[in-house]
Amino acid sequence: MNRWLKYEKKYLKLHSWVFIWLGAYILIYRFAYEKWPFWLFIGTLSLYILHIEKKHLLYLKTSQIEKTYDFCRIIELFIMSFFITYQGQHYVGGSVLYLLYILEIIMGDAKIRPFWNYGFYSIPFVFSSLLATVLNFNTSFRVDKIIHMFFFIIIFLTFSYILNWYAQEFKIQLQKNKWLWEQTEEQNQKLLETQKHMQQVNQELEAQKKELQHMNEKFRKSIAEFYILKEIGNYIGAVLELEQLLDMITDIIMGIMGVDTCSIVLWDDEKKEMTFQINSIYPQNIIEKFKSHAKNEQLIKLMKDSSSYVENFVVSGENKYSFLEGRKVGSFIAVPLSKNNKAYGIILVEHQLESYFSESSIEFFKAVSAQIVIAIENATLYKKMEEMASKDGLTEVYNRTYLRQIIPKMFKWAKEHKKPLSVAIFDIDSFKKVNDSYGHLFGDKVLQIVAYLGKKKIEQYGGIIGRYGGEEFLLLLPGSNLYEMANIVEELRQEIAQFPIQEGKTVIHIQASFGVSAYPEIALNSTEFIQTADYAMYRSKQLGKNQVTIATKEYLSTKEGIF
């Protein structure tokens, strides 16, 4: 249908105007030499009307126009045949023109029809020729024209048959080619659809690949986080020293999470002091600068705030953080170390890249924070238990057990570092009399006050004090020689003697006797160290009490001593 319409539209103007001008030519010719040819005028007008109708039919685009169009074409052929037979001297040329038009109709037909169907188009020419013979309206139309007409019919039918055969073969081949073209188009369409489908599949696979990569990265991070939490749990159970534990935690976070700096800052609310445990890719001078800048309101505010804080746009953002100065930080996360409204400190983790931390990072570091708080509490509890085991319950100074452990260690340190180590043992004079006169509770108070005064004095110089037994106390001072220790304990002796001890209306003053020794001036081992100091203290008792006696090398020959 489309091919036929295209063909007819192409030749409509050419055919119609040829017929119209042919009719006009015959009309003018006849009018110039004979009387007015009324029927020729009617025929020419009819050709023009048919031209208009055919043009209208072709642009209707309906399925019923082909039959109407064929009817118009038959009428057109009748008029054309009438002109040819009427213009007798051009009968042969008109016959050839008529034949060419019929052949054009055959070639333009998109359908494959039997040969005799096209013989129908010769009827107008035969009918007009016969009518012209019967009516004899053309004097030039003689009997030889009839013979010519029959000869034309034979030629027409023969040529039509041959041409129809070729046309049918051509049409069959054309239809085959059309079928092949349609198949090719269909295959191409299928290939295009397959290509689109493959592109869609590839896009889906690419999206799945990205999702898998994202899930894999998320899974890898989850495994890393789980591993860190597991290791921290193991550390908490195995390491009781808090500083060592925090160092291990910051180290594993640095290694597994791939961050630039991991800091755990502990806050002492009573002393208003910070202690730091930092692992970083930056050199020590940068770390020290961070420590100095960390003691500001920004970090303390983050520390005391119970909520976590993430900043993923440090470089491009508007906020400025003074505690980050000196380091290239793109993003950081700060998670407080707190429990029951008590602030222990903060975890501060940094990376050079922006948008490095996510919501899952917050949850992870919250879990780490909870474990660190447990570790801090465990360390605090352990320290208290250790103090309970190493300190005297009444006076809160070190007990004899602790002294027995620490003296060899201090002695070893003094030898290794070639430093002096001094010791003083003192005993409260007439303490039994105090107990007998004022009671044991008052005597306990005396012990507590003496221990307090001794602790206050010796800790000023970096030493320690312990209850040696009963009313006896021992002072250790690393790095000080014999006479330096003697001067210190002399000051202590005077302070004890001048300190009033009151209980109700009872006010008394007590006194103490001191013995001093030192390494390497007097003693060369820990046993001599204690024995000589102990003997010097007894010499103070013998010499009248309330005094300081400095040991000499002669004391080494005595066998007295209770340590």
Side-chain angles (χ1 to χ4, degrees), residues 147-315:
I147 297 171
H148 176 78
M149 179 190 67
F150 283 106
F151 180 74
F152 167 78
I153 292 170
I154 293 169
I155 294 299
F156 170 75
L157 294 175
T158 304
F159 194 72
S160 295
Y161 174 79
I162 295 170
L163 188 61
N164 179 65
W165 183 81
Y166 280 108
Q168 299 305 332
E169 287 295 320
F170 174 76
K171 289 174 184 177
I172 291 169
Q173 187 62 39
L174 186 64
Q175 286 190 352
K176 286 182 179 179
N177 291 340
K178 183 180 179 182
W179 180 82
L180 289 173
W181 180 82
E182 288 174 350
Q183 291 294 315
T184 303
E185 280 292 308
E186 185 178 353
Q187 291 296 324
N188 288 339
Q189 191 64 31
K190 287 181 179 179
L191 287 173
L192 287 174
E193 290 176 0
T194 303
Q195 185 181 12
K196 289 180 180 178
H197 177 69
M198 291 300 295
Q199 288 176 347
Q200 185 178 359
V201 170
N202 285 336
Q203 290 175 354
E204 291 176 358
L205 288 173
E206 190 66 26
Q208 290 178 359
K209 179 183 176 182
K210 290 181 180 178
E211 185 177 357
L212 284 173
Q213 288 175 342
H214 176 71
M215 292 298 293
N216 184 52
E217 181 63 21
K218 190 174 180 181
F219 179 71
R220 188 194 66 79
K221 288 183 69 176
S222 297
I223 292 295
E225 291 171 358
F226 175 77
Y227 175 77
I228 291 172
L229 292 174
K230 175 178 173 294
E231 288 300 301
I232 292 174
N234 293 338
Y235 294 160
I236 291 173
V239 181
L240 294 174
E241 181 61 41
L242 185 60
E243 184 177 349
Q244 182 185 359
L245 177 62
L246 297 183
D247 179 63
M248 295 169 74
I249 291 173
T250 55
D251 183 63
I252 194 173
I253 291 174
M254 278 275 293
I256 302 298
M257 299 295 291
V259 295
D260 298 334
T261 303
C262 180
S263 308
I264 298 177
V265 184
L266 301 183
W267 172 252
D268 189 330
D269 201 39
E270 293 181 0
K271 298 180 180 179
K272 305 298 181 184
E273 291 181 353
M274 290 181 179
T275 54
F276 300 88
Q277 187 59 55
I278 302 172
N279 259 304
S280 178
I281 63 172
Y282 297 102
Q284 189 61 35
N285 62 317
I286 301 294
I287 301 303
E288 293 302 322
K289 187 177 180 181
F290 162 61
K291 290 180 180 180
S292 62
H293 287 176
K295 297 175 183 178
N296 60 42
E297 293 182 1
Q298 275 186 317
L299 193 61
I300 293 173
K301 184 179 179 181
L302 289 174
M303 194 180 301
K304 293 186 176 181
D305 192 351
S306 59
S307 58
S308 302
Y309 184 82
V310 178
E311 175 61 85
N312 273 320
F313 302 98
V314 176
V315 177

Side-chain angles (χ1 to χ4, degrees), residues 125-137:
F125 184 80
V126 174
F127 177 80
S128 298
S129 298
L130 291 175
L131 184 64
T133 302
V134 173
L135 297 177
N136 198 21
F137 57 79

Side-chain angles (χ1 to χ4, degrees), residues 65-132:
I65 67 169
E66 193 171 352
K67 292 182 180 179
T68 308
Y69 193 88
D70 285 342
F71 177 76
C72 291
R73 193 155 52 187
I74 291 297
I75 300 301
E76 196 175 53
L77 288 173
F78 269 107
I79 296 172
M80 181 181 175
S81 300
F82 175 74
F83 282 172
I84 292 170
T85 54
Y86 188 81
Q87 188 70 13
Q89 63 269 33
H90 298 294
Y91 184 77
V92 176
S95 301
V96 173
L97 182 64
Y98 187 90
L99 178 61
L100 289 174
Y101 182 62
I102 298 301
L103 295 179
E104 206 171 77
I105 291 172
I106 295 172
M107 294 298 294
D109 194 358
K111 298 178 180 178
I112 299 176
R113 307 178 191 272
F115 157 72
W116 52 83
N117 283 15
Y118 298 111
F120 176 77
Y121 291 114
S122 65
I123 292 174
F125 184 80
V126 174
F127 177 80
S128 298
S129 298
L130 291 175
L131 184 64

Side-chain angles (χ1 to χ4, degrees), residues 9 25 126 158 180 186 190 212 262 266 278 295 359 397 402 404 425 431 435 448 454 459 473 494 502 509 527 552:
K9 285 179 181 180
Y25 163 74
V126 174
T158 304
L180 289 173
E186 185 178 353
K190 287 181 179 179
L212 284 173
C262 180
L266 301 183
I278 302 172
K295 297 175 183 178
E359 290 298 322
V397 297
Y402 179 78
R404 290 175 66 90
I425 298 177
F431 183 70
N435 277 336
Q448 289 172 342
E459 286 184 352
F473 294 88
Q494 294 177 18
Q502 183 176 358
H509 290 81
T527 303
T552 63

